[in-house]
Amino acid sequence: MSPIADKSAPPLFIILNAASGHNNTSTVSTVIEEVLTQYGRPYQLMVVEDAAQLDFIARQTVKRACGCGGVVVVAGGDGSINAVAQATLGTRCPLGVLPQGTFNYFGREHGISSDTAEATRGLLTARVQAVQVALVNDRLFLVNASLGLYPQLLEDREAFKQQYGRNRLVAFASGLITLLRHHRQLLISLEIRGKVHDIRTPTLFVGNNRLQLEQIGIPLEKAIENDELAAITLRPLGMMAMLWLLVRGVFGKLGEAQNVISFGFKRMTVRPSRHLKRRVKIATDGEIVWMETPLEFRVSPHPLYLLKPGTMPEPETSDTGSDA
């Protein structure tokens, strides 16, 4: 008794980032192959050993998928998903996701399981849905983008993970250490709806993920639902006040703090001040890049065509027996 292959189903072109997440690559690839073989779905699996090649491989894979009416699938964390999503943007090529990261905000937001077998089965009955994505200049982000303190937190967190492993306790400990030694403030000009606001803040955070905003306690999930982005800045703070904000964020109470300013917007320009260099460090979905100012944050005019999972039936089987 073996599954009957659906010859009409579009092939899956799967990109597995070997450097992403905490799962063993061979185990993940075996699980994916077993599920797709069981259900008779045509696929090609590409394992990316060198993360520096991910962007190039993503672009080439999208071109191949578009040429045959296929679907691109990425197995990795939010940063890997970002890279492949960037390659699909504007092509109308559907994107499937098999989350492998630590936090998996994008996958969880869209009901995609972090269990590889379950997520792979979900691809087989998934429906394509247009999903809002955001841009800082021309760079896509799915979950968040930021400058100032937050990129430093991410850099330190990654260094800690390399040394102590990937888990939430390590992430929290690295955040404490970063706050204890980080004192720089940004002086930036924000242009929103034609008005300019000069502010002094340790960080600017722009969110595009309702789940993450809810988790830290910022009541702007309605902004995301109304095709906007959410901005968060902090008033200048001392060390103890900053640590207290970190605790509030962990317990989902950040929005109640008086030192936190948050608002929704569709387009925002960040211009350099005398303390903001022409090139600045930006974090997009956990990946650090350098970008030229001014920075323009906006909702992308092109959505992401995401495969959102449906209900998975049992594999069809051919009945080779006969009634007695």
Side-chain angles (χ1 to χ4, degrees):
M1 305 269 280
S2 59
I4 299 175
D6 182 358
K7 301 297 185 181
S8 65
L12 303 178
F13 293 83
I14 305 167
I15 302 171
L16 171 58
N17 185 3
S20 180
H22 51 269
N23 296 321
N24 181 277
T25 300
S26 62
T27 300
V28 172
S29 60
T30 298
V31 170
I32 294 171
E33 290 173 336
E34 287 179 348
V35 170
L36 296 180
T37 299
Q38 178 187 21
Y39 285 89
R41 183 65 175 267
Y43 71 94
Q44 294 182 26
L45 177 62
M46 293 149 284
V47 178
V48 181
E49 300 288 351
D50 181 3
Q53 295 295 313
L54 182 59
D55 290 343
F56 173 77
I57 292 173
R59 290 193 300 271
Q60 294 299 310
T61 303
V62 169
K63 183 182 295 186
R64 291 169 58 200
C66 287
C68 67
V71 174
V72 175
V73 178
V74 54
D78 285 333
S80 301
I81 298 169
N82 176 299
V84 180
Q86 179 86 51
T88 69
L89 195 65
T91 68
R92 300 188 70 87
C93 180
L95 177 70
V97 171
L98 303 175
Q100 302 294 313
T102 303
F103 294 96
N104 295 323
Y105 282 117
F106 183 76
R108 290 160 56 202
E109 167 75 10
H110 297 287
I112 302 172
S113 174
S114 58
D115 177 83
T116 302
E118 183 178 344
T120 305
R121 287 192 292 269
L123 291 174
L124 305 182
T125 56
R127 294 182 179 273
V128 177
Q129 180 173 326
V131 171
Q132 172 180 299
V133 296
L135 299 171
V136 50
N137 291 355
D138 293 324
R139 186 177 177 88
L140 172 146
F141 61 97
L142 302 169
V143 180
N144 61 59
S146 58
L147 63 153
L149 174 61
Y150 194 71
Q152 189 61 53
L153 284 168
L154 294 178
E155 277 194 324
D156 292 346
R157 187 180 76 187
E158 189 60 30
F160 266 64
K161 285 179 178 179
Q162 294 292 332
Q163 186 171 359
Y164 301 109
R166 294 179 177 271
N167 60 65
R168 295 172 188 266
L169 182 59
V170 169
F172 182 76
S174 69
L176 283 176
I177 292 175
T178 302
L179 292 179
L180 288 173
R181 68 187 185 193
H182 190 280
H183 302 285
R184 180 176 297 178
Q185 300 286 325
L186 296 173
L187 289 174
I188 54 179
S189 294
L190 307 182
E191 182 179 338
I192 310 164
R193 302 183 184 94
K195 295 184 179 181
V196 176
H197 308 267
D198 294 323
I199 66 170
R200 184 170 180 260
T201 181
T203 194
L204 170 64
F205 178 97
V206 177
N208 185 46
N209 185 274
R210 179 181 53 82
L211 179 64
Q212 187 180 45
L213 295 173
E214 289 177 349
Q215 188 173 34
I216 62 177
I218 297 295
L220 284 176
E221 61 274 8
K222 294 297 183 183
I224 306 299
E225 294 173 2
N226 292 329
D227 301 326
E228 292 188 334
L229 303 175
I232 304 169
T233 66
L234 307 179
R235 293 187 174 90
L237 300 170
M239 186 58 61
M240 292 306 298
M242 187 71 77
L243 291 173
W244 179 236
L245 284 183
L246 178 63
V247 173
R248 278 182 171 272
V250 170
F251 288 98
K253 301 293 185 181
L254 194 60
E256 299 176 6
Q258 294 182 348
N259 290 319
V260 176
I261 303 169
S262 60
F263 54 90
F265 70 94
K266 288 186 180 292
R267 186 183 297 263
M268 176 175 67
T269 302
V270 179
R271 302 189 182 281
S273 67
R274 56 192 175 90
H275 289 289
L276 186 63
K277 299 178 181 179
R278 298 296 301 181
R279 293 182 73 247
V280 294
K281 189 184 297 183
I282 304 291
T284 56
D285 294 342
E287 302 296 317
I288 307 297
V289 296
W290 288 88
M291 301 187 71
E292 297 286 338
T293 58
L295 305 172
E296 183 180 55
F297 294 88
R298 60 194 172 102
V299 175
S300 170
H302 302 291
L304 182 71
Y305 292 98
L306 180 68
L307 287 181
K308 300 191 74 168
T311 302
M312 188 67 229
E314 292 299 317
E316 295 182 18
T317 58
S318 55
D319 189 354
T320 58
S322 59
D323 293 336

